[in-house]
Structures are given as structure tokens and as C-alpha cells.
Amino acid sequence: MVEHGAESRNRDTKQDGQGTGGNNQASIFDELVQTYLELQTGDDEGETRQRIDTDQLVDFVRHGPVLEALFYGPLDRREIEAELGVSRATSHRFIRWLGEQELAKKVDGRFELTGYGQVVAEEVLRFERNLATADRLSPLLDTICESHKEFVIEPFGDATVTAASPADPYRPVQRFLTLLGESETLRGFNTTHMVPLSLGAFHEQLFENTDTEIIYLPDAVEKLVETYPERASAALERGHLKLRTREALPYGLAIFDDRVGIGGYDEQNGTMQVFVDSETAIAREWAERVYNVYRERSEPLNE
């Protein structure tokens, strides 16, 4: 998509949006969840959902650059040509197509999107952004989405993706440890131990330096306490460490002071294959809500 004037003209808008605070982020998240539920639910009467013509859909995507350019404000013909770096003949074809599709109209010598055009442009931008996000998150999606299709990708469009490789199989764990070292708190859940139990330095930090609440599978909690009986007991007694259990968990979730992360694991050996983390407000909102749901449906460790 276009990354020239449209981006610069959108900069002030983005800054204004960030200043609206948590309520705006929460409403965006609510919209994402509602959209997902509507897509999953479908028509109650079982009617076939009306689909857009394939050629028309391809046309919308093909004309994404001009839709994006006009999405941020009206432009005249010369501005369109400069914005997109196209010839006069090409801009003429774009404008003619926009008119035929009733996506834009000419007002005072400039072309602006209709209400219908605004919605189409926004959805095309969202579609391309989500495809790009899915591509970046593919190592994570491959490990968590086969049986957990409720995962929402939108909050992690700008996330840092750390995947294991044959040359460096512990990169995701190292990323997790780096973020933990920068945080005074940790909340989350996991299908297995956050890091291998053999890494005593991590568990020393977990028991001594970090205010921690983790939801584990019962077997994982039992193994943790068996491996570090004295340290775990002391941390639990001080309230520095809180452990909860649940019979089933979808993936690994970590909420740090400033970032949130998701871990995907190899089902065969339990090793972390990928760790995806983000500092955006919407990612934190998603993580907080997911964590609270699983926490409410878990049990505190029986003393």
C-alpha cells in the first residue's frame, strides 16, 4: 500500500487517537470481539451468507492504493498522481473506476470518498494489514490455532516475533527472560513451565525478585514445587508467588510491567518454539481480559 503523503497526513490523526486513553482502546477491542462472534455465529436461520463477486473483490484490493490515499482526505487529480506516483492516464482510470463503483465523488475540484467508499477503503486496509500480521505471526499461529481458533491477531500487528531456529533453539526463551528481567511483576498462564526447570537462575528470580501469579496445569505445579521445595514454599508463604491450577490451557501468556507476550510450544517435547510480544495498549487489553477469564476458572494452589 501507499506509504507517502497518506502516511504523513495520517500522522496527526494517529496521535490524536492515542490521546483518547484506555476507553478508546477498550471499545476497539470490544468491536474486534463482536465482529469475531458475528462471523462465528452466522445467520440464525441457516441462510447462505451473501458473498461478494470475486472479480469485484479483486478490484477492490487492486485499487487499494487510491482508496488508501483518499481515505485520509480529498485529493485533486494532480495530488492523486503525486501521491501514488502514477501517470495522468492511470489516475484517470482510477477516478473513472471510483465513480463507476460509487466509491468517490468530485466536490469543488477534488475527489472524496462516499460513505460507502470510506467503509470499503477501511476494510481493504484492514484486510491487507491482517494478512501481513498473519504472515508475521505464522510461527505462532501454527502452534496455537489448530484447536484455539478464538485467537485475535489484530492487537499484535506490530509485535516482536522471536522464533526458534536450528542454529539458536533457545531464542524465544531468551527473549522471555530478557523481558522478565526488565519487569517487577509477572502474571500469566502456561501449558508447561515458562522455562526449563533446570534454569535455576530464572526460578531464583521468579521466587525472589518478581511479584508473580501463574496458572499452570496441576502436573506442572507439582513438578515445580518438587524441584524447588524450599524456595517455592518460602515464596508462597510470603505471598510473593501465587500459583493457581487449571486442567486445560490454550498456550502461554505472560503479562509484564510494560509488555505482554504469547508463547507457542512444541507439543512433543514442550519446548518454546516462538514468543510474540507487544507493548501496545490494545494488546495489553486483550491479554488482561484473556488472563482474567482463565483466572476466574482456575483454583488457587491447595496449601
Side-chain angles (χ1 to χ4, degrees), residues 264-291:
Y265 293 82
D266 187 312
E267 293 185 358
Q268 301 299 320
N269 55 33
T271 58
M272 188 184 293
Q273 295 297 296
V274 59
F275 191 74
V276 172
D277 60 271
S278 174
E279 62 179 356
T280 63
I282 192 171
R284 175 166 289 272
E285 177 72 19
W286 174 87
E288 294 277 2
R289 293 196 184 195
V290 171
Y291 176 71

Side-chain angles (χ1 to χ4, degrees), residues 150-200:
E150 78 281 2
F151 181 70
V152 179
I153 67 170
E154 281 89 342
F156 296 94
D158 298 322
T160 298
V161 179
T162 307
S165 67
D168 192 355
Y170 299 110
R171 287 184 68 237
V173 172
Q174 291 166 353
R175 175 64 178 174
F176 171 83
L177 291 175
T178 296
L179 296 180
L180 180 65
E182 299 169 352
S183 181
E184 296 182 356
T185 64
L186 171 65
R187 288 172 295 137
F189 54 73
N190 212 14
T191 55
T192 182
H193 300 285
M194 294 287 188
V195 299
L197 289 174
S198 58
L199 292 182

Side-chain angles (χ1 to χ4, degrees), residues 4 23 32 45 57-58 129 145 155 174 192 262:
H4 304 296
N23 289 336
L32 293 175
E45 298 180 0
L57 180 61
V58 171
R129 184 171 59 248
C145 278
Q174 291 166 353
T192 182
I262 308 166

Side-chain angles (χ1 to χ4, degrees), residues 190-191 215-219 244-250 294 297-299:
N190 212 14
T191 55
I215 307 169
Y216 275 141
L217 301 178
D219 290 346
R244 303 179 70 88
T245 62
R246 196 175 188 278
E247 292 296 331
L249 292 164
Y294 281 95
R297 300 173 185 176
S298 66
E299 298 293 335

